[in-house]
Amino acid sequence: MDDVKNPNLPAWERVFDEAAAAGYGGLELGPYGYVPLESAQVATALADRNLFIVAGTIFDDLVSPANGENLLRQTDEICAVITRLPQPEQVPGQRFRTPYLTVMDWGHDKRDFAAGHSDRAPRLSDPDWAGMVANIKAIAELARSKYGVRSVVHPHAGGYIEFADEIERISSDVPAELAGFCIDTGHSYYAGMDPVETLKRYADRLDYVHFKDIDERVFRRVLGERIRFFEACAQGVMCPIGRGVIDYPAVKQALEEIGYHGFITVEQERDPLSVAGSLADVKESRDYLRSVGF
């Protein structure tokens, strides 16, 4: 879950332990405020587990002009930490080296309850859209100019950048030299798009990728309910990779065709109350991905 105020979140050290135990080489810093913004402490914790950090995250209201100062403060604090943490080597063909700053819009009830429903989700007015674009550009410029960090816009279920028309509009309004995309297979499917085609469509902007899978039976049920996105996650709409509807052999082929050489982060959205099964789930996802060639 991305709500750092949730009292049931596991300790961040446990997340690091389980990422290492499941066979992953690295992970993200997580939502702002979850992992301490103390680079020495976190760097030691990573080194002790032979892990690296690939990205930090802004998961907040990108629309409101009044939130602009808060967004830039988060950008400053996150980038100051992630650039001091262990990093993987840059590989040939990887356009931008880690760490990335993943930028997601969040915090709007009207869109949260309309996640997955392009036909009924309200769109931003032109002035509000322009305000969101200005905030994204300001975040990306600060991250780039002060820290050398590449920002990637992450379309997210329940935010104002979710559906095909919004992704296309952002691709036009935020220049490629300023920010790329982090395409998430699970969020793409949730928004009614084909994850494989979405990866191909934005190949020239694809700097980072998130993997999830979707339980089609739960997905069809929650689409018929008035439900927040993370409430749907608590009901198991996002399942371990390999159990769900997304065709990962086809995803692998698509990434090979477009020559993607960046990093992929596997995510498992779940209710923190069921954290006891998290290690088994993320290991199952990793084992499945290995079995299909990743």
Side-chain angles (χ1 to χ4, degrees):
M1 291 294 198
D2 286 295
D3 181 5
V4 295
K5 297 175 184 175
N6 190 314
N8 302 307
L9 290 178
W12 63 271
E13 296 95 336
R14 176 176 177 173
V15 175
F16 283 22
D17 285 340
E18 293 190 353
Y24 293 89
L27 71 169
E28 294 188 359
L29 193 66
Y32 178 80
Y34 179 55
V35 175
L37 293 172
E38 298 290 341
S39 57
Q41 179 187 5
V42 180
T44 298
L46 290 166
D48 287 347
R49 297 162 176 83
N50 199 28
L51 293 171
F52 51 74
I53 285 288
V54 292
T57 300
I58 288 183
F59 187 66
D60 207 333
D61 173 8
L62 299 180
V63 178
S64 172
N67 200 36
E69 186 176 335
N70 172 48
L71 293 171
L72 293 180
R73 177 182 55 79
Q74 289 187 41
T75 301
D76 233 343
E77 293 182 12
I78 293 167
C79 290
V81 172
I82 60 177
T83 51
R84 292 184 173 95
L85 297 178
Q87 295 296 312
E89 291 296 320
Q90 187 171 4
V91 300
Q94 181 186 346
R95 286 196 294 251
F96 296 90
R97 67 160 301 128
T98 61
Y100 307 118
L101 181 63
T102 307
V103 182
M104 297 179 275
D105 178 55
W106 187 251
H108 318 280
D109 280 351
K110 289 182 179 179
R111 284 298 293 253
D112 197 0
F113 282 107
H117 294 276
S118 180
D119 56 339
R120 72 171 191 233
R123 300 312 200 262
L124 290 174
S125 67
D126 287 345
D128 285 344
W129 180 270
M132 180 175 68
V133 168
N135 277 336
I136 293 171
K137 287 180 174 178
I139 289 167
E141 180 56 39
L142 175 60
R144 179 180 69 173
S145 62
K146 188 172 181 180
Y147 298 98
V149 168
R150 175 69 166 176
S151 294
V152 287
V153 178
H154 180 313
H156 194 287
Y160 274 109
I161 307 171
E162 177 179 1
F163 303 111
D165 59 299
E166 294 165 329
I167 300 172
E168 189 66 16
R169 191 175 181 186
I170 278 290
S171 74
S172 297
D173 291 352
V174 177
E177 61 268 21
L178 191 57
F181 277 136
C182 172
I183 297 298
D184 183 304
T185 54
H187 286 284
S188 298
Y189 190 92
Y190 206 100
M193 298 178 289
D194 179 340
V196 170
E197 293 307 313
T198 305
L199 291 167
K200 290 180 179 179
R201 180 171 184 83
Y202 296 104
D204 62 338
R205 299 284 293 267
L206 190 66
D207 296 329
Y208 185 36
V209 175
H210 282 177
F211 277 2
K212 294 188 185 72
D213 212 343
I214 288 186
D215 183 318
E216 182 75 4
R217 179 186 59 82
V218 178
F219 180 56
R220 293 300 160 195
R221 175 172 57 76
V222 298
L223 280 186
E225 303 173 8
R226 187 175 186 273
I227 189 170
R228 292 182 182 275
F229 172 67
F230 283 115
E231 290 173 356
C233 291
Q235 294 186 27
V237 71
M238 299 288 183
C239 60
I241 294 173
R243 285 195 213 172
V245 71
I246 296 178
D247 184 347
Y248 274 93
V251 168
K252 181 176 186 293
Q253 182 177 346
L255 292 175
E256 289 174 349
E257 286 177 4
I258 65 176
Y260 180 73
H261 294 285
F263 280 85
I264 297 165
T265 290
V266 173
E267 296 186 317
Q268 178 59 57
E269 305 279 17
R270 62 185 303 127
D271 188 337
L273 289 173
S274 64
V275 71
S278 60
L279 174 56
D281 282 358
V282 294
K283 186 176 187 306
E284 179 181 335
S285 293
R286 186 69 191 93
D287 291 347
Y288 171 78
L289 289 169
R290 281 199 182 103
S291 78
V292 296
F294 282 100

